[in-house]
Amino acid sequence: MFRDDFVWGVASSAYQIEGKDPQDGAGKMIWDTFTEEGRILDGTDASVACDHMHRYAEDYKLMRLLGVRAYRFSVSWSRIMPEGTGRVNEKAIALYRDMIAKMKENGITPYLTMYHWELPQALQDRGGWLNEEIIQWFGEYARVIAENFSDICENFITLNEPECFVGLGHLSGVHAPGKKMSYEDTFRIAHNALRAHGKAVINLRKYAKRQIKIGYAPTCGMAYPASNKAEDIEAARKVLFSFYNPMDNWTWNVAWFNDPVFLGKYPAHGLTQFKNYLPEITKEDMELISQPIDFMGQNIYNGYMVRAGENGEPEFVDRPAGFPKTAAGWPVTPECMYWGVKFLYERYKMPLYITENGMSCHDIISSDGQVHDPNRITFLDKYLSALQCASDEGADVRGYFLWTFLDNFEWDKGYTERFGIVYVDFSTQKRIAKDSAYWYQQIMKENGGMLSINQSEKPILFLNPVFKQMIWGGDRLGKDWGYEIPGDDTGECWAVSAHPNGDCTIKEGTYAGKTLSELWETYPNLFGNTGLDRFPLLIKIIDAKTDLSIQVHPDDAYAKVNENGSLGKTECWYVLDCDEDSSLVIGHNAKDKEELSEMIHHGKWDELIREISVKKGDFIQINPGTVHAIKGGLMILETQQNSDITYRVYDYGRLTNGKPRELHIDKSIDVITVPAVPIEESVVKVGNLPANQMNQLIVCDYYKVWKLDVTQPVTIEQNNPFLIMSVIEGEGLINGQMIHKGDHFIVPNGYGEIRLQGNMQLIASTI
């Protein structure tokens, strides 16, 4: 969870969404020229874009309906001051004042960015950012902003991403004004931009009609360490604030564009490295640039991994094949949000807003008329979780602005990228809220509560079984089921168990290597927060090569008193395989306790024991007090209470290590139910059940059990505290993962839809 006053919002820029109107009085700006020159990837322009200047009232209503509380937007310098200086376009003032009024009517707090690359072409014709007169021009523009908007807007941002408009606009030339200038000129442009920022801060405060808050929104790729080793962390920190980029990409730098603003000086390393390209830098310049401001904005999209090399110098770690990317080809690196924020706050100690973060997806309208963008949801969840982690560890993070609300004109890429959480059909201007918009609505409403960082990850939990060698065990668990068994006397596979005598481990994923009992204690929400003191069930496969001993189990009350607080044992059996003439021991023939005791003590086993015929697919419920035994040749899937308490009544005189196995005669007589439950109440014939549905076999105080035969795609809603599933035949898919005979897994609480397909049989259970 984030702080109670955390600011949740979305971000945009004027040129990317507003469009134009022949009557709006706006002046030409550098991106108009750039588009006229055919410099846009898809040959388009922003003359309409999202037509926001005519549709903003509805757009703000949509924001309100989707729970947006704050909006970072830019005003266009060339719209407000068509020649860049002097004359003010009152139509633009009225437009933006009405925009702000409409935002506030919808409960949206405005954050006004003065410059998001909308330089008037008239000023570019006079040298643009290379002409140091721009410091005064921008100061004049700041005065107009303060005079006209400070009464209705409290939060102002001077510059957006100077790294980009300096580097992409004047060094590589891929952005407007499309210049490829010398290193000397670009350093002068950067210095002018920072001085212009300082002048704007002065004039915003000087002419504001009330107390306001001022920030600054740079960007950069964030270095993050390859591991949590101290040397890797230091290597990443060093790279982030140093100068490792080649000169043709020098502007992509954190320290050069932040140190002067927040620390009052250019970084010494940079002054040395770039000395041949730098303009004169005076004390007065630095005083101007470092005017006190209220917060630091930072636009963070991705980063790069760094480790310490053998010589102690940082090394850049290549991304592996198949590394995740957005539709724009940008790497998906949520680690950069945590480490970037952490490093920035350590260095600058400023209240921090993430002023942009988001991703471009290949969004399309589906056949249901909706736009499903799960990749964006996953991206945002991971980045916001990383941001919360940095905040939890002490970084003063005040807010987050998602880029962006509407799909828009994406600069030199035109309309080929979609960053919005609202889909825009640019031919009709229809808006469709994407799935991510509804997801973000809940995030804002719950202040981040539903982020994965605040929830245990809930993957399907695949388990490593525990095997038990028994005097009556065989080898079919290896031959027929493909398990690596410890020997040819392996009688039991504890497939799902958190018992001290056999605690399964998680096979893979987030919780790999953890025991089931550990998960039960540490992550109770995976299992529905039942409040029980132990995992309640135990699932076994039993391979009986020869007859098991004749047994009985106590109930909970008896076991609690006589077995150190153990649970009793209620269990059920599903017959996986058996010969045609197979039988089981279920119940007894004694009429009362006296006859029961007499038969047991005098070894009248043939008179006492009741055997019944069974076949593959039969289901048997064994309640406490029921005399029972599995006979040789049967394979059984057993679902039971999480207990290993068994009283042995008779063991055919077998020896272990030359000695008879222990019998529990007195306790057995205590707990055996007399007379025995009728056979028809214990055995259920479950052959020929309907396929592709959950067929309930039993419901009792301790468990529910179902049989499911999959022959076509099946969808199940997991609304149980947890759901144990065992594949007993065949193979198929569960939510895209391959499963086959012998797999046992737990679908955790709140998992949602389970999608199964293939040709397989499963037994499922829960409490």
Side-chain angles (χ1 to χ4, degrees), residues 77 303 332 340 426 458 716:
W77 188 352
V332 177
F426 294 107
K458 294 185 175 181
I716 301 166

Side-chain angles (χ1 to χ4, degrees), residues 495-526:
V496 181
S497 170
H499 194 277
N501 293 342
D503 203 350
C504 294
T505 57
I506 309 305
K507 185 180 294 186
E508 60 193 23
T510 304
Y511 305 108
K514 294 184 183 297
T515 64
L516 183 54
S517 63
E518 183 181 357
L519 252 61
W520 177 262
E521 292 178 8
T522 309
Y523 303 100
N525 59 319
L526 291 175

Side-chain angles (χ1 to χ4, degrees), residues 26 33 111 229 240 316 358 360 404 410 596 654 688 766:
T33 304
Y111 284 71
K229 294 178 182 177
L240 187 64
F316 294 88
S360 172
T404 180
E410 190 52 43
L596 174 73
R654 288 181 293 200
N688 300 316
T766 190

Side-chain angles (χ1 to χ4, degrees), residues 136-390:
Q136 300 306 318
W137 301 338
F138 198 61
E140 181 186 353
Y141 173 46
R143 174 182 61 78
V144 173
I145 294 295
E147 288 175 342
N148 287 282
F149 303 113
S150 62
D151 61 324
I152 55 175
C153 182
E154 182 183 2
N155 304 288
F156 295 84
I157 294 168
T158 56
L159 300 177
N160 180 78
E161 297 186 344
E163 297 89 342
C164 288
F165 73 75
V166 176
L168 299 179
H170 299 87
L171 187 58
S172 66
V174 298
H175 278 191
K179 305 294 185 183
K180 294 186 178 181
M181 304 176 78
S182 67
Y183 299 139
E184 291 89 345
D185 284 347
T186 56
F187 276 101
R188 184 172 298 278
I189 287 170
H191 190 53
N192 287 344
L194 292 174
R195 288 190 289 171
H197 153 80
K199 185 65 175 177
V201 174
I202 291 172
N203 282 0
L204 284 170
R205 295 204 194 279
K206 181 178 179 180
Y207 295 102
K209 297 178 180 179
R210 60 172 176 164
Q211 189 172 358
I212 60 174
K213 296 177 182 177
I214 302 174
Y216 163 66
T219 189
C220 208
M222 295 287 124
Y224 61 92
S227 76
N228 286 325
K229 294 178 182 177
E231 55 268 31
D232 286 346
I233 294 171
E234 183 53 39
R237 183 186 290 110
K238 181 178 180 180
V239 167
L240 187 64
F241 298 113
S242 296
F243 303 91
Y244 285 84
N245 282 336
M247 283 303 299
D248 60 3
N249 197 29
W250 79 262
T251 66
W252 208 245
N253 184 273
V254 171
W256 195 259
F257 288 91
N258 284 280
D259 282 16
V261 174
F262 300 111
L263 303 181
K265 58 185 178 181
Y266 282 106
H269 182 196
L271 291 172
T272 300
Q273 186 163 323
F274 301 141
K275 63 182 180 180
N276 294 332
Y277 310 116
L278 297 180
E280 180 184 4
I281 299 171
T282 68
K283 178 183 177 183
E284 291 74 22
D285 290 341
M286 301 316 300
E287 290 174 352
L288 178 61
I289 293 169
S290 60
Q291 290 296 307
I293 59 176
D294 301 290
F295 62 90
M296 177 184 194
Q298 188 71 31
N299 299 351
I300 296 179
Y301 288 94
N302 55 66
Y304 49 93
M305 190 185 296
V306 178
R307 67 184 172 211
E310 292 182 3
N311 61 359
E313 277 297 299
E315 291 181 350
F316 294 88
V317 181
D318 291 337
R319 297 186 179 102
F323 195 88
K325 295 180 181 180
T326 70
W330 298 358
V332 177
T333 54
E335 303 90 342
C336 76
M337 183 67 86
Y338 167 76
W339 287 105
V341 168
K342 187 178 180 72
F343 289 151
L344 289 168
Y345 186 68
E346 284 175 355
R347 188 175 181 92
Y348 301 117
K349 300 297 183 185
M350 288 292 295
L352 179 67
Y353 291 80
I354 299 302
T355 36
E356 287 183 27
N357 169 250
M359 76 174 292
S360 172
C361 286
H362 293 297
D363 298 319
I364 59 172
I365 301 174
S366 297
S367 57
D368 60 4
Q370 300 181 70
V371 180
H372 306 294
D373 56 343
N375 287 359
R376 183 174 285 110
I377 292 171
T378 300
F379 176 99
L380 293 171
D381 175 74
K382 290 188 177 299
Y383 274 73
L384 281 167
S385 291
L387 180 63
Q388 184 189 308
C389 188

Side-chain angles (χ1 to χ4, degrees), residues 689-763:
L689 294 171
N692 305 307
Q693 69 177 47
M694 295 280 276
N695 295 291
Q696 189 169 279
L697 303 181
I698 188 72
V699 177
C700 69
D701 290 342
Y702 302 104
Y703 46 72
K704 303 175 187 176
V705 180
W706 296 268
K707 172 84 183 306
L708 171 61
D709 292 354
V710 176
T711 61
Q712 64 187 37
V714 178
T715 299
I716 301 166
E717 189 67 28
Q718 204 313 66
N719 50 19
N720 300 286
F722 57 88
L723 188 66
I724 299 170
M725 304 189 84
S726 298
V727 184
I728 59 172
E729 286 290 349
E731 60 189 14
L733 298 174
I734 179 167
N735 289 22
Q737 299 183 68
M738 188 77 180
I739 52 176
H740 51 75
K741 179 179 177 178
D743 283 338
H744 308 269
F745 46 88
I746 301 173
V747 185
N749 180 258
Y751 185 84
E753 255 186 18
I754 304 171
R755 299 183 307 278
L756 297 156
Q757 67 180 77
N759 195 334
M760 55 186 172
Q761 299 176 27
L762 302 96
I763 298 292

Side-chain angles (χ1 to χ4, degrees), residues 404-416:
T404 180
F405 188 64
L406 302 173
D407 291 336
N408 58 31
F409 179 80
E410 190 52 43
W411 303 117
D412 63 306
K413 301 300 190 297
Y415 300 99
T416 64

Side-chain angles (χ1 to χ4, degrees), residues 587-593 596 610 625-626 672-678:
H588 63 86
N589 296 311
K591 299 189 222 32
D592 52 35
K593 282 278 186 182
L596 174 73
R610 185 175 71 191
T626 301
I672 291 173
T673 300
V674 181
V677 173

